[in-house]
Amino acid sequence: MAEGLSRADRLHWRHARPLAGPVLFGLATLVLALLPLYGDADTLRLLVEFFALLAMAQAWNLLAGYTGFVSVGQQAFVGIGAYALFAFAIKASVHPFAAVLLGGLAAALAGALAAPALFRLRGPHFAIGTWVLAELCRIAVGNTDWFGGASGLTLARVLRGIPPELRAHGTYWIALALAAAGIAAIYLILRSRFGLAVRTVRDNESSAQSVGIDVGRVKFAVYVFAAFLTGCAGAVAYLNTMFVSADAAFTVDWSALIIFVVIIGGIGTIEGPILGALIYFLLREWLADFGTWYVITLGLIAIAAMLFAPQGLWGLVAGRFNLRLLPADTRLILGAAPAESTQEKENHAR
């Protein structure tokens, strides 16, 4: 998958391991893990929302920013993950915390089943196809009595035996672990040979096939992984509220919010969705009392970001200060590759 690179480039790519960003990321995760020891319940609930949205944004960024799949139907996996958690917890008596993983697996299975049909579509047709999939899921679940129909499902009775403090802390730690593990997994994937194949597929599928990359396998793996991460995040988001309905879980508002976070933060970077999610929650806290002006402000910010900072706010920061905390883009890593010696050039030519 890296056959098109020179020997010096391959060696530099393989051994470039900046530690400052990952160390800072690990310390931040550790500090956040201790928050339940001194944080109040409202703060923990807000951070669960933040972590869930961050995981969804990272999954969409992997699809659109690194693989070239612009999906507007990620709410399908949000809803499937949420309803799977409620179904397993209520119908099968699975502990709600354990059911988060089952929600992700249900979303991954749905993604695997839908992928062959969706991959026949290209560009805007693919985007519309993902939205149609989400609408089909909304209609099917909303009209099924087993899933509560239009009334939805609640976890109130299931969670009654769990102390409120344990429930709040457990949900928080699961959300934090999901966001941290999702970011770490995407970082490692993109810095691997598989990550190089992902970007090659995005740039030119024909070129990817010509160097021996199994394009279908790469696309399938990325789509299913993104579905799994989004499904887990949807399960955590509705575990936090303890109630789910089809109209809320499968609404296109989820995709709009995810895209907003990634676009203003910086698509095609791991740091971008983190910054975008922070900005969104700050704006929501400051402007939520202004009614429709809140929505208008978000729209204006999104338009301004696309016009004046198409690379996102993190792109501006990274370009201005030459800052790379989690450089998963191979092009950035290769940018400082050492020049080949004469002997290496002769050996590469052979």
Side-chain angles (χ1 to χ4, degrees):
M1 296 177 184
E3 287 82 350
L5 304 176
S6 68
R7 179 175 179 272
D9 283 349
R10 288 200 304 270
L11 289 173
H12 185 75
W13 172 56
R14 188 180 302 121
H15 293 102
R17 296 290 189 271
L19 296 178
V23 169
L24 181 62
F25 173 73
L27 290 175
T29 302
L30 179 60
V31 171
L32 288 171
L34 299 175
L35 187 61
L37 300 179
Y38 50 87
D40 59 86
D42 290 339
T43 300
L44 295 183
R45 279 194 293 270
L46 180 63
L47 285 174
V48 169
E49 292 183 54
F50 172 80
F51 295 140
L53 178 60
L54 177 56
M56 296 177 195
Q58 291 289 354
W60 189 85
N61 186 44
L62 177 64
L63 282 176
Y66 288 103
T67 317
F69 290 154
V70 180
S71 168
V72 293
Q74 290 302 98
Q75 65 271 19
F77 304 122
V78 174
I80 290 172
Y83 266 94
L85 178 142
F86 278 68
F88 279 111
I90 296 172
K91 310 294 184 179
S93 299
V94 176
H95 195 287
F97 293 166
V100 170
L101 180 61
L102 297 177
L105 292 175
L109 177 60
L113 294 175
L118 291 175
F119 289 165
R120 294 177 178 273
L121 307 174
R122 293 289 185 272
H125 299 96
F126 174 83
I128 294 172
T130 60
W131 174 76
V132 170
L133 172 65
E135 283 299 293
L136 290 174
C137 292
R138 182 186 66 82
I139 294 171
V141 172
N143 288 279
T144 302
D145 291 337
W146 197 78
F147 289 114
S151 301
L153 296 172
T154 178
L155 287 176
R157 188 176 64 179
V158 174
L159 295 175
R160 191 173 299 161
I162 303 176
E165 183 177 359
L166 176 60
R167 183 178 67 223
H169 292 181
T171 303
Y172 173 84
W173 280 320
I174 291 173
L176 173 60
L178 175 65
I183 292 172
I186 292 173
Y187 176 73
L188 294 175
I189 288 171
L190 293 174
R191 290 181 63 89
S192 68
R193 290 192 174 188
F194 181 79
L196 183 59
V198 166
R199 280 182 288 269
T200 305
V201 170
R202 175 197 62 190
D203 296 336
N204 193 312
E205 290 189 14
S206 298
S207 297
Q209 288 176 332
S210 68
V211 295
I213 296 175
D214 188 338
V215 173
R217 183 181 67 86
V218 170
K219 293 164 63 176
F220 181 84
V222 170
Y223 190 73
V224 171
F225 175 78
F228 171 77
L229 185 56
T230 304
C232 287
V236 169
Y238 284 96
L239 173 63
N240 194 40
T241 64
M242 298 187 295
F243 173 78
V244 66
S245 67
D247 288 339
F250 292 100
T251 177
V252 74
D253 291 350
W254 278 114
S255 283
L257 182 54
I258 292 167
I259 294 171
F260 172 83
V261 165
V262 176
I263 292 299
I264 66 169
I267 191 170
T269 66
I270 292 180
E271 302 93 339
I274 300 175
L275 178 60
L278 285 171
I279 292 172
Y280 165 73
F281 274 91
L282 288 175
L283 290 173
R284 195 183 76 170
E285 293 301 305
W286 292 340
L287 303 175
D289 295 333
F290 290 90
T292 56
W293 284 104
Y294 160 65
V295 179
I296 293 172
T297 302
L298 291 183
L300 291 175
I301 291 174
I303 293 172
M306 289 185 284
L307 289 176
F308 302 107
Q311 71 276 43
L313 296 180
W314 177 255
L316 290 179
V317 173
R320 176 67 177 81
F321 300 101
N322 193 27
L323 182 62
R324 303 288 188 272
L325 295 179
L326 298 170
D329 193 327
T330 309
R331 290 172 298 176
L332 298 177
I333 301 169
L334 291 174
E340 288 183 279
S341 66
T342 302
Q343 184 62 42
E344 287 175 327
K345 289 180 179 179
E346 292 176 356
N347 292 337
H348 179 63
R350 296 194 187 101

